[in-house]
Amino acid sequence: MAPLLLLPLLLATLALGATPPHNITTLSSCLTTSSTPFLLPSSPTPLAWTLHATTFNARLPFVPLAIILPTTPSQISAALLCASSLNIPVQAKSGGHSYASFSSGGDALSQTLVIDLENFQDVTVDNTTYIAAVGGGVRLGNLALGIYAQGERALAHGTCPGVGIGGHFTHGGYGYSSRAYGLALEQIVAVEVVLASGEVVTASEEENEDVYWAVRGAADSFGIVTKFYLQTVPAPDVVQFSYDVSGALTSADLATAAFLAVQKFALDASVVTRELGLGVTITATSMAVHGTYFGSISTFEGTVAPALLAALRQAGVRVSTKNSSVQEMSWIESLTELGGEPTLAVPLTGYESRDNFFAKSVSVSQPFAQKPVRAYFDVVVKEGKRAPVDWFAIINLYGGPDSQIGARNESFAAYGGFRDLWVVQNYGSVALNKTFPQSGMAFINKLNDAMTNNMPNYSAYLNYIDPTYTREQAYNLYYGAGLVERLSKLKAVLDPKNIFRNPQSIL
Ligand SMILES: Cc1cc2nc3c(=O)[nH]c(=O)nc-3n(C[C@H](O)[C@H](O)[C@H](O)COP(=O)(O)OP(=O)(O)OC[C@H]3O[C@@H](n4cnc5c(N)ncnc54)[C@H](O)[C@@H]3O)c2cc1C
Ligand SMILES: *[C@@H]1O[C@H](CO)[C@@H](O)[C@H](O)[C@H]1NC(C)=O
Ligand SMILES: *[C@@H]1O[C@H](CO)[C@@H](O)[C@H](O)[C@H]1NC(C)=O
Ligand SMILES: *[C@@H]1O[C@H](CO)[C@@H](O)[C@H](O)[C@H]1NC(C)=O
Ligand SMILES: *[C@@H]1O[C@H](CO)[C@@H](O)[C@H](O)[C@H]1NC(C)=O
Ligand SMILES: *[C@@H]1O[C@H](CO)[C@@H](O)[C@H](O)[C@H]1NC(C)=O
C-alpha cells in the first residue's frame, strides 16, 4: 500500500518544483573523499543500516538518505560541506528518542543525512570546577552513572535511561530534580558545536554568545553539538514517594477535586520548596501523586506529606495506603527506580528499544482553573477504559514556589518554557507489530483538547514534540513570536542555506 500512496505524493512534489531525489552517488563519493564513515541503505552491512536507521518511534519510521558515524568533529564538518553543496538536509541523532522522528528527518520524503553521534561517548568531570564534559551521543543513564562515578556528582534530567543528551538537553529536559537544579538545558555552561559553515566552535556566555543562546532551545536548526559542558552538583539523598488516589477516578468531579487539591498544595510556599519534585500520573484505572524530596525523611513526613494529605482529605479524596510508599534512597537508586529498567547502564551501540506511539502536551504558566480540569477528567472517566490505544498521562510541576526553572527567562536561552507552572503529557501507544489507529490519534487529541478548549492561554513542551502541528502552530506553542523572530535572524546568518531542517525547524 505504501508505494501506491507515495507515488502521487512524489509526483506532486516534483510537479511543484521541489528538490528531486538526491543523488546518493555524488554524496557517497563526497563522504568517501573526506574519510567519513557512513552507511547507505545499500551498504554491504545491511544489519548496521537497519540498526541505525530504525526510529525509536515505530509509528514514524522515516528512512534517512544516508547515515554518517563520525568519530571527530572534523569529519562532521566535512559531511556538512558535502550536504550543503548538494542541498541535502541534515539532522543530528543522539538518543533517537524524538517523538516526531526528527533525528531521521521527520518526513517520509525529506531524504535527510543523519549525523549519528554514537561514537561521542566521553563523560569526564573536571575535579576542580565539577563541570562535566560530555559527548553529544551519551544517553542519560550512562551520563548519570558516569558523573556519579567521578565524585558522586549529579545533574537534573529526565527519567528514561535511553534518552540521548543531544535532543533532551537542547530542548528543555525535565526531571524530578529540575525544580531544585533547573531544566537540563539550564546546566549547559558551554558547547562545542559544528556549524553549517563547517566551522567547529566553542560557544558560551563569553564566546559565540548567539550560538550558545540559539543552541539551547533550537539546536536542531543551528548545528551539531559534539560536546556539552555541564555544571554538576553533589548528588542528593532522596526521599521518594507515591500516594495512590485511584479511588478518585470513580467520578470526574472527584478526580477534578483530587487534582485541584494537589495544585493547592503545590502552590503553598509555606511547605513547598525547590527540594520537592512532583507529578500526578493518570491511566484509565489509576491515579497517583508522586515525586522526590531532597531532604530528611523526618521533614518530609513531618511537614510536606501532611500538607499534601490534608489537602486531599479536605477534597474528600481517599489515599489508599496499600499502594502508597515513602522511601529513603540514594540518588542512583532513585534514578534507577524512576527509569523503570533494572539498571541505568545502556549499551553504547546496538540500542534496540522501541515504542509505537503518539503523544502531545499542554503547558500552562498560571494555575489551572476548575473548568479545563473538569473537562479533562470527564474524558478520562467516561472514555479512558475503552480508549482505542493504551494511554497514560503525567502532569508535572515545573514552576511553583522556589522553582529554579522560573528563575531564568528568554534572554538566557532560546527556550519558551521558563514560565511553565504545569506540563501535561498525554501519551498513547500500541504494540510494535500493530498499526497505530487514527482513532488513537483522535483519543489523545481529545484528552488534550478537553483542556485547551477551556483555557485562554496555553503552550506546549518542546521535548514532547507533536508532529501533527504545522510549522506555524509549532512556533507559537513551543517558542512564541519573540523567540522565533530572534532565532530567524540568527538562522539567516548561521545557516543561510537551511541545511539543518525538519518539518518544524526555524526558517
Ligand atoms: C521513553 C521516553 C521517556 C522520556 N522521558 C522524558 C523525561 O522524563 N523528561 C523530559 O523532559 N523528556 C522526556 N522524554 C522526551 C525527550 O526529552 C525527547 O524526546 C528528546 O528530544 C530526545 O532526545 P534524543 O537525543 O534521544 O533524541 P533525538 O531523536 O536523537 O534528537 C531529537 C532532536 O534533537 C536534535 N539533536 C539531537 N542531538 C543533537 C545534537 N547533538 N546537536 C544538535 N541537535 C541534536 C535532533 O536532530 C532532533 O531534531 C522522553 C522520551 C521518551 C521516548
Ligand atoms: C548522479 O551524478 C552522477 C555524477 O554527477 C551522474 O553520473 C549520475 O547519472 C547521477 N545519477 C542520478 C540518478 O541522477
Ligand atoms: C584531579 O584530576 C587530575 C587529572 O585528571 C589528577 O591528576 C588529580 O589527582 C585529581 N585530583 C583529585 C583531588 O582527585
Ligand atoms: C530576564 O533575565 C535577565 C537576566 O537575569 C534580567 O536582567 C531581565 O530583567 C529579565 N527580563 C524579564 C522580562 O524578566
Ligand atoms: C504482536 O506482539 C505481541 C507482543 O507485543 C505478541 O503477543 C503478539 O503475538 C504479536 N502478534 C503478531 C500477529 O505478531
Ligand atoms: C496569558 O498569558 C499572558 C502572557 O504570558 C499572561 O500575562 C496572562 O496573565 C495570561 N492570562 C491568563 C488568563 O492565563
Side-chain angles (χ1 to χ4, degrees):
M1 192 172 96
L4 288 178
L5 283 175
L6 283 180
L7 189 61
L9 262 177
L10 191 58
L11 293 175
T13 312
L14 293 177
L16 287 172
T19 325
H22 297 296
N23 190 325
I24 203 162
T25 320
T26 323
L27 175 64
S28 49
S29 60
C30 186
L31 292 173
T32 304
T33 307
S34 62
S35 307
T36 302
F38 65 94
L39 297 168
L40 300 175
S42 60
S43 286
T45 50
L47 287 178
W49 170 262
T50 303
L51 180 67
H52 290 90
T54 306
T55 53
F56 176 82
N57 188 352
R59 192 178 69 80
L60 302 171
F62 305 133
V63 182
L65 177 69
I67 300 171
I68 71 162
L69 291 163
T71 53
T72 63
S74 62
Q75 290 176 341
I76 297 175
S77 301
L80 295 184
L81 295 178
C82 293
S84 182
S85 68
L86 298 167
N87 189 24
I88 292 170
V90 177
Q91 286 285 278
K93 180 169 181 173
S94 178
H97 280 55
S98 170
Y99 281 20
S101 300
F102 281 176
S103 47
S104 292
D107 182 328
L109 295 174
S110 68
Q111 302 199 63
T112 293
L113 173 65
V114 170
I115 316 285
D116 190 318
L117 295 166
E118 77 167 16
N119 293 315
F120 290 72
Q121 292 290 347
D122 275 2
V123 179
T124 306
V125 180
D126 180 303
N127 61 13
T128 56
T129 60
Y130 295 109
I131 290 172
V134 184
V138 174
R139 294 183 196 267
L140 301 184
N142 296 333
L143 172 62
L145 290 173
I147 59 175
Y148 191 80
Q150 299 172 62
E152 302 189 359
R153 308 299 294 180
L155 285 160
H157 55 69
T159 53
C160 175
V163 164
I165 189 174
H168 184 74
F169 271 66
T170 59
H171 298 95
Y174 174 89
Y176 287 94
S177 48
S178 289
R179 294 186 74 264
Y181 310 134
L183 294 168
L185 172 151
E186 296 178 75
Q187 304 160 113
I188 302 173
V189 294
V191 283
E192 175 188 84
V193 47
V194 192
L195 300 173
S197 62
E199 223 187 325
V200 183
V201 301
T202 298
S204 70
E205 239 166 40
E206 279 87 43
E207 52 183 327
N208 299 300
E209 300 92 319
D210 283 344
V211 175
Y212 177 60
W213 180 81
V215 154
R216 291 171 304 142
D220 55 308
S221 305
F222 283 92
I224 308 293
V225 180
T226 44
K227 196 183 280 182
F228 289 87
Y229 294 89
L230 306 168
Q231 183 62 63
T232 66
V233 295
D237 289 328
V238 182
V239 176
Q240 199 157 294
F241 60 93
S242 182
Y243 295 105
D244 180 5
V245 293
S246 302
L249 290 175
T250 47
S251 80
D253 282 331
L254 193 56
T256 302
F259 179 76
L260 293 177
V262 174
Q263 174 167 270
K264 184 180 165 213
F265 158 77
L267 298 176
D268 181 352
S270 72
V271 280
V272 172
T273 61
R274 72 184 67 174
E275 284 78 21
L276 182 77
L278 189 71
V280 177
T281 51
I282 300 153
T283 70
T285 55
S286 72
M287 183 164 171
V289 185
H290 66 125
T292 58
Y293 181 70
F294 303 155
S296 72
I297 195 159
S298 58
T299 311
F300 182 78
E301 291 194 319
T303 322
V304 183
L308 171 62
L309 296 172
L312 289 167
R313 202 180 317 112
Q314 274 166 30
V317 176
R318 208 179 68 83
V319 174
S320 155
T321 45
K322 198 177 71 171
N323 297 315
S324 299
S325 61
V326 178
Q327 281 175 283
E328 281 181 291
M329 54 182 85
S330 74
W331 172 243
I332 291 295
E333 284 166 345
S334 170
L335 287 183
T336 307
E337 188 161 316
L338 291 169
E341 310 274 347
T343 166
L344 289 174
V346 187
L348 299 183
T349 188
Y351 183 81
E352 287 189 288
S353 193
R354 309 277 176 250
D355 199 8
N356 188 356
F357 69 105
F358 173 58
K360 61 200 299 165
S361 63
V362 182
S363 52
V364 292
S365 58
Q366 302 289 322
F368 276 111
Q370 194 263 356
K371 201 177 166 195
V373 179
R374 178 65 173 69
Y376 182 76
F377 281 109
D378 215 38
V379 181
V380 169
V381 169
K382 288 199 182 126
E383 298 180 40
K385 284 185 192 154
R386 50 187 173 82
V389 292
D390 292 331
W391 68 275
F392 69 85
I394 310 184
I395 307 179
N396 276 122
L397 183 68
Y398 280 50
D402 198 30
S403 175
Q404 295 308 290
I405 298 173
R408 296 256 168 67
N409 68 40
E410 293 167 3
S411 69
F412 173 73
Y415 182 70
F418 288 119
R419 280 182 305 275
D420 289 345
L421 173 62
W422 295 106
V423 174
V424 183
Q425 167 168 226
N426 296 306
Y427 188 109
S429 63
V430 298
L432 291 176
N433 56 14
K434 286 199 175 147
T435 301
F436 195 99
Q438 276 305 319
S439 58
M441 309 279 292
F443 176 75
I444 296 300
N445 277 320
K446 190 165 185 180
L447 276 174
N448 225 73
D449 293 348
M451 279 186 167
T452 59
N453 288 343
N454 289 289
M455 290 192 304
N457 269 355
Y458 61 92
S459 50
Y461 175 43
L462 190 57
N463 258 330
Y464 300 152
I465 200 134
D466 176 354
T468 66
Y469 290 131
T470 63
R471 199 184 298 267
E472 191 164 54
Q473 287 173 317
Y475 283 180
N476 285 328
L477 289 169
Y478 299 128
Y479 294 104
L483 277 182
V484 170
E485 195 181 320
R486 183 169 168 197
L487 283 168
S488 290
K489 285 191 183 133
L490 285 175
K491 178 81 172 175
V493 176
L494 294 168
D495 183 17
K497 290 179 73 179
N498 189 26
I499 69 165
F500 298 118
R501 60 183 192 261
N502 63 51
Q504 295 177 358
S505 59
I506 301 294
L507 297 179

